[in-house]
Amino acid sequence: MFKQILIISPSWIGDCVMTQPLYRRLRELHPDCVIDVFAPKWSMAVFERMPEIRRVIENPFGHGALALRERWRVGRELGQSGYDQVIVLPNSLKSAIVAAATGAKQRTGYVGEMRYILLNDLYKLDKQKFPLMVDRYTALAGKFVGSSQPHLQINADSQAAALAAHSLDKSRKIMALCAGAEYGAAKRWLPEHFAATAQHYAAQGWQIWLFGSQKDFDVSEEINRLSGSLCVNLCGKTNLAQAIDLLACADGVVCNDSGLMHLAAAVGAKLVAVYGSSSADHTPPLSDTAKIASLNLDCSPCFKRECPLGHTDCLRKLLPEQVIRLHGELGN
């Protein structure tokens, strides 16, 4: 009898990417298992690129919504599929309520937020043993044997459709620049630094594509203006599936510590990730073709949304030449 497993996923795109090694490990431990994922609509395209997953089920609840009665009802509906195990990746009480309502015999997750009654296969997180978020997720499979990297599948037909939809092609090399970071300004490299990077690669004949959400459109427009209108601004114009396919076309990627960084790493891009207020010790790009750009100043990482000292030197003094040199070390 095969084992049916339901994963209650995190919400952030980067975290969603980092869950894939968990599914790989579950399949190693239970070769005949089937894995479904309960995930927010905006993240579903990520899970659809993971061959370990049978089905992605939309999680209808927003970030802040309690809706405890509704969560119980949805959990009961999920339980009709007869799951043997539910693994809860968020550390919230809300997620554990959905798991408990399924009636699954094994309900797995980390201790937290009064979840003792709701979950019965509890792990206590050892942050020193598992400094990496990806390993914290993978450890919930049991019998942890080491780190592995996410790898998203790229479908050639889907990629060709994404290129056609945005009148793009791969006739020249592509540098992808991702200027956004949802957490705050202290994680965002300066527009003038991105623009100088764009000018460098454009002078070598590369195309420059700018990626991000609608929130990143204005700053990307500024980068395009500062570069001399050398870029194609795709911010807010692609859906997530298209962004994944188009990032996989890129010959190079420069980005902040963001969800797009994790996507770029998972499609095997030659990536330079810029770190300012945050640290690569916890959520680095999980790829052998990635470099970290950080000045490691005494005041960083501070993990603040805005620079508490008012100068953002960790990003301002990290010059384009340093990032370009790191990308060159990856090979063109």
Side-chain angles (χ1 to χ4, degrees):
M1 183 69 179
F2 63 86
K3 186 173 186 178
Q4 294 195 85
I5 303 171
L6 177 67
I7 308 292
I8 299 182
S9 90
S11 296
W12 298 105
I13 295 299
D15 285 353
C16 293
V17 174
M18 288 185 283
T19 64
Q20 190 185 20
L22 165 63
Y23 315 141
R24 196 179 298 137
R25 182 63 179 147
L26 286 169
R27 285 200 171 272
E28 291 172 357
L29 293 170
H30 312 285
D32 295 327
C33 74
V34 294
I35 301 170
D36 293 344
V37 175
F38 185 58
K41 185 175 183 178
W42 59 82
S43 68
M44 292 174 75
V46 175
F47 297 109
E48 289 165 355
R49 306 306 179 91
M50 299 180 182
E52 300 85 359
I53 293 171
R54 175 182 67 175
R55 181 169 56 131
V56 188
I57 304 164
E58 182 182 344
N59 179 346
F61 303 107
H63 278 300
L66 276 173
L68 299 183
R69 183 177 295 178
E70 184 66 10
R71 287 177 189 275
W72 187 267
R73 184 191 65 77
V74 169
R76 296 285 288 176
E77 289 181 359
L78 291 169
Q80 293 175 11
S81 295
Y83 293 109
D84 302 289
Q85 182 181 15
V86 180
I87 301 178
V88 184
L89 300 184
N91 287 327
S92 66
L93 175 67
K94 297 176 293 187
S95 299
I97 286 172
V98 174
T102 66
K105 290 183 179 179
Q106 185 179 5
R107 303 184 300 279
T108 304
Y110 284 110
V111 173
E113 280 202 13
M114 303 176 294
R115 307 196 311 173
Y116 287 97
I117 298 174
L118 302 171
L119 304 181
N120 58 12
D121 180 28
L122 284 162
Y123 288 65
K124 187 173 182 179
L125 177 60
D126 184 338
K127 293 185 178 181
Q128 290 192 330
K129 183 178 179 180
F130 299 120
L132 295 180
M133 179 62 76
V134 64
D135 292 344
R136 295 176 186 181
Y137 290 144
T138 307
L140 291 175
K143 300 180 182 178
F144 182 80
V145 293
S147 298
S148 64
Q149 299 172 348
H151 295 288
L152 300 183
Q153 284 189 335
I154 300 298
N155 179 279
D157 290 340
S158 176
Q159 187 177 71
L163 287 164
H166 297 282
S167 301
L168 301 171
D169 62 62
K170 298 190 289 184
S171 60
R172 293 182 291 132
K173 284 188 174 182
I174 300 152
M175 173 57 67
L177 303 180
C178 311
E182 191 72 21
Y183 184 73
K187 286 179 72 171
R188 300 187 195 119
W189 205 33
L190 278 62
E192 53 264 40
H193 290 350
F194 273 112
T197 304
Q199 288 175 323
H200 172 85
Y201 286 100
Q204 298 183 26
W206 291 42
Q207 303 178 69
I208 313 298
W209 297 354
L210 308 178
F211 287 84
S213 68
Q214 187 62 47
K215 293 178 182 178
D216 306 316
F217 182 85
D218 288 344
V219 69
S220 294
E221 279 294 284
E222 183 182 1
I223 292 167
N224 191 29
R225 179 184 62 80
L226 291 171
S227 72
S229 300
L230 298 173
C231 312
V232 178
N233 188 355
L234 297 169
C235 295
K237 298 177 182 178
T238 65
N239 58 37
L240 184 58
Q242 290 173 330
I244 294 169
D245 285 330
L246 294 176
L247 280 171
C249 295
D251 299 279
V253 178
V254 175
C255 61
N256 301 314
D257 174 15
S258 65
L260 285 174
M261 177 193 76
H262 291 287
L263 291 175
V267 299
K270 292 179 180 179
L271 163 70
V272 178
V274 174
Y275 280 77
S277 68
S278 60
S279 168
D281 292 342
H282 183 47
T283 56
L286 300 167
S287 169
D288 295 329
T289 56
K291 293 277 189 177
I292 303 298
S294 175
L295 293 179
N296 298 309
L297 301 180
D298 290 341
C299 58
S300 65
C302 67
F303 301 104
K304 303 294 186 182
R305 293 179 183 271
E306 304 284 340
C307 176
L309 301 177
H311 52 57
T312 324
D313 280 353
C314 59
L315 295 171
R316 186 173 303 280
K317 292 183 177 180
L318 181 59
L319 300 178
E321 292 79 8
Q322 295 166 271
V323 168
I324 291 166
R325 175 181 55 81
L326 286 172
H327 185 263
E329 293 175 3
L330 292 168
N332 292 333

Short mmCIF file of all heavy atoms in Angstrom, two decimals, residues 201 272 291 322-332:
data_model
loop_
_atom_site.label_atom_id
_atom_site.label_comp_id
_atom_site.label_asym_id
_atom_site.label_seq_id
_atom_site.Cartn_x
_atom_site.Cartn_y
_atom_site.Cartn_z
N TYR A 201 27.46 44.84 -19.47
CA TYR A 201 27.13 43.67 -20.28
C TYR A 201 26.55 44.06 -21.64
O TYR A 201 26.79 43.38 -22.65
CB TYR A 201 26.21 42.73 -19.51
CG TYR A 201 26.95 41.99 -18.42
CD1 TYR A 201 26.89 42.41 -17.10
CD2 TYR A 201 27.76 40.91 -18.73
CE1 TYR A 201 27.60 41.76 -16.10
CE2 TYR A 201 28.48 40.25 -17.75
CZ TYR A 201 28.41 40.68 -16.44
OH TYR A 201 29.13 40.04 -15.47
N VAL A 272 24.99 35.78 -9.36
CA VAL A 272 25.64 36.52 -8.28
C VAL A 272 24.54 37.11 -7.41
O VAL A 272 23.71 37.89 -7.89
CB VAL A 272 26.57 37.63 -8.80
CG1 VAL A 272 27.18 38.39 -7.62
CG2 VAL A 272 27.68 37.05 -9.67
N LYS A 291 27.49 32.72 -6.76
CA LYS A 291 28.48 33.42 -5.95
C LYS A 291 27.76 34.42 -5.04
O LYS A 291 26.73 34.99 -5.43
CB LYS A 291 29.47 34.18 -6.83
CG LYS A 291 30.38 33.30 -7.67
CD LYS A 291 31.58 32.82 -6.89
CE LYS A 291 32.58 32.12 -7.77
NZ LYS A 291 33.79 31.70 -7.01
N GLN A 322 32.86 44.69 -8.48
CA GLN A 322 33.01 43.50 -7.65
C GLN A 322 32.04 42.40 -8.07
O GLN A 322 32.40 41.22 -8.12
CB GLN A 322 32.80 43.87 -6.18
CG GLN A 322 33.86 44.82 -5.64
CD GLN A 322 33.46 45.43 -4.32
OE1 GLN A 322 32.82 46.48 -4.27
NE2 GLN A 322 33.83 44.79 -3.22
N VAL A 323 30.82 42.80 -8.38
CA VAL A 323 29.81 41.84 -8.81
C VAL A 323 30.16 41.28 -10.18
O VAL A 323 30.05 40.07 -10.43
CB VAL A 323 28.42 42.51 -8.82
CG1 VAL A 323 27.39 41.63 -9.52
CG2 VAL A 323 27.97 42.81 -7.38
N ILE A 324 30.61 42.13 -11.08
CA ILE A 324 31.00 41.70 -12.43
C ILE A 324 32.17 40.72 -12.35
O ILE A 324 32.21 39.71 -13.07
CB ILE A 324 31.33 42.92 -13.30
CG1 ILE A 324 30.04 43.72 -13.59
CG2 ILE A 324 32.02 42.51 -14.59
CD1 ILE A 324 30.29 45.11 -14.13
N ARG A 325 33.13 41.01 -11.45
CA ARG A 325 34.27 40.10 -11.29
C ARG A 325 33.81 38.72 -10.80
O ARG A 325 34.27 37.69 -11.31
CB ARG A 325 35.27 40.69 -10.31
CG ARG A 325 36.44 39.76 -9.99
CD ARG A 325 37.40 40.37 -9.00
NE ARG A 325 36.72 40.77 -7.77
CZ ARG A 325 36.40 39.94 -6.79
NH1 ARG A 325 36.66 38.63 -6.90
NH2 ARG A 325 35.81 40.38 -5.69
N LEU A 326 32.91 38.71 -9.84
CA LEU A 326 32.40 37.43 -9.33
C LEU A 326 31.69 36.64 -10.42
O LEU A 326 31.85 35.42 -10.52
CB LEU A 326 31.46 37.68 -8.14
CG LEU A 326 32.11 38.08 -6.83
CD1 LEU A 326 31.06 38.49 -5.82
CD2 LEU A 326 32.96 36.95 -6.27
N HIS A 327 30.90 37.35 -11.23
CA HIS A 327 30.22 36.64 -12.31
C HIS A 327 31.22 36.08 -13.31
O HIS A 327 31.06 34.97 -13.83
CB HIS A 327 29.22 37.55 -13.04
CG HIS A 327 28.43 36.82 -14.07
ND1 HIS A 327 28.78 36.82 -15.41
CD2 HIS A 327 27.33 36.04 -13.98
CE1 HIS A 327 27.94 36.08 -16.08
NE2 HIS A 327 27.04 35.59 -15.24
N GLY A 328 32.29 36.83 -13.56
CA GLY A 328 33.32 36.34 -14.46
C GLY A 328 33.98 35.07 -13.96
O GLY A 328 34.40 34.22 -14.77
N GLU A 329 34.06 34.91 -12.63
CA GLU A 329 34.65 33.70 -12.07
C GLU A 329 33.79 32.47 -12.34
O GLU A 329 34.29 31.33 -12.28
CB GLU A 329 34.85 33.88 -10.56
CG GLU A 329 35.90 34.92 -10.21
CD GLU A 329 36.00 35.17 -8.72
OE1 GLU A 329 35.29 34.49 -7.95
OE2 GLU A 329 36.78 36.06 -8.32
N LEU A 330 32.52 32.68 -12.62
CA LEU A 330 31.62 31.57 -12.96
C LEU A 330 31.80 31.12 -14.40
O LEU A 330 31.32 30.05 -14.78
CB LEU A 330 30.16 31.97 -12.72
CG LEU A 330 29.76 32.19 -11.27
CD1 LEU A 330 28.39 32.87 -11.18
CD2 LEU A 330 29.74 30.88 -10.51
N GLY A 331 32.45 31.95 -15.22
CA GLY A 331 32.66 31.62 -16.62
C GLY A 331 31.49 32.05 -17.46
O GLY A 331 30.33 32.00 -17.04
N ASN A 332 31.76 32.55 -18.67
CA ASN A 332 30.71 33.04 -19.59
C ASN A 332 30.33 31.95 -20.60
O ASN A 332 31.06 31.03 -20.82
CB ASN A 332 31.19 34.29 -20.32
CG ASN A 332 31.33 35.47 -19.36
OD1 ASN A 332 30.66 35.53 -18.35
ND2 ASN A 332 32.22 36.39 -19.70
#
